[in-house]
Amino acid sequence: MRVSLPPRFVDAPVARMATVSADGRPHLVPVVFAVHGGVVYTAVDAKPKTTTRLKRLANIAATGRVSLLVDRYDDDWSRLWWVRVDGVAHVLAAGAEETAALDTLVAKYPQYRALRPDGPVIAVHPVACREWAATHEHP
């Protein structure tokens, strides 16, 4: 069953990615992402990191469980909304899917046109999507 992702999720500039370790410890980081063919992709890029042994990669290898959250906060609480996508993730091997994923990220983020990500690419296959909005009047 394919999970439909709402435009406000697909178009969002940033998400918070939650992973969980084998012993149940949560880990949360902001990520940029793009959607192609119903799959959510994010890549490890050249932005400074404290280590190359990223916890999100270890957690995905251990459990494959991921949640992505995008939201809008506004002082006008009638404009609040969020979308959470739960999925199964894996790190892509080099090949056609990885190239297509990177091309999709480059198309969404102008910053990647100058410095294409060269780190691992994560593919998240959505299994559930939940959303909430204070009202249905605002996108």
Side-chain angles (χ1 to χ4, degrees):
M1 173 189 246
R2 189 174 197 156
V3 175
S4 177
L5 302 177
R8 69 172 94 206
F9 178 86
V10 173
D11 297 338
V14 66
R16 278 62 176 176
M17 175 186 272
T19 59
V20 62
S21 67
D23 65 357
R25 292 178 189 254
H27 181 72
L28 184 68
V29 293
V31 296
V32 296
F33 69 97
V35 178
H36 179 71
V39 179
V40 182
Y41 295 102
T42 185
V44 177
D45 57 30
K47 291 191 296 292
K49 315 273 189 290
T50 56
T51 179
T52 57
R53 296 177 42 164
L54 299 179
K55 189 70 174 163
R56 72 189 98 157
L57 298 174
N59 288 350
I60 287 168
T63 69
R65 294 168 47 201
V66 170
S67 286
L68 294 158
L69 178 73
V70 300
D71 67 302
R72 177 186 176 159
Y73 178 82
D74 194 294
D75 287 337
D76 174 355
W77 285 7
S78 72
R79 298 175 62 92
L80 302 177
W81 61 262
W82 58 260
V83 179
R84 189 187 76 225
V85 173
D86 299 326
V88 177
H90 65 279
V91 176
L92 297 178
E97 184 180 9
E98 180 191 51
T99 299
L102 288 169
D103 289 346
T104 303
L105 284 160
V106 167
K108 184 172 179 181
Y109 297 98
Q111 299 88 335
Y112 283 164
R113 293 182 197 130
L115 189 56
R116 188 176 174 98
D118 63 356
V121 176
I122 299 166
V124 179
H125 297 268
V127 297
C129 179
R130 296 207 36 154
E131 60 183 309
W132 172 87
T135 68
H136 297 288
E137 295 175 24
H138 303 286

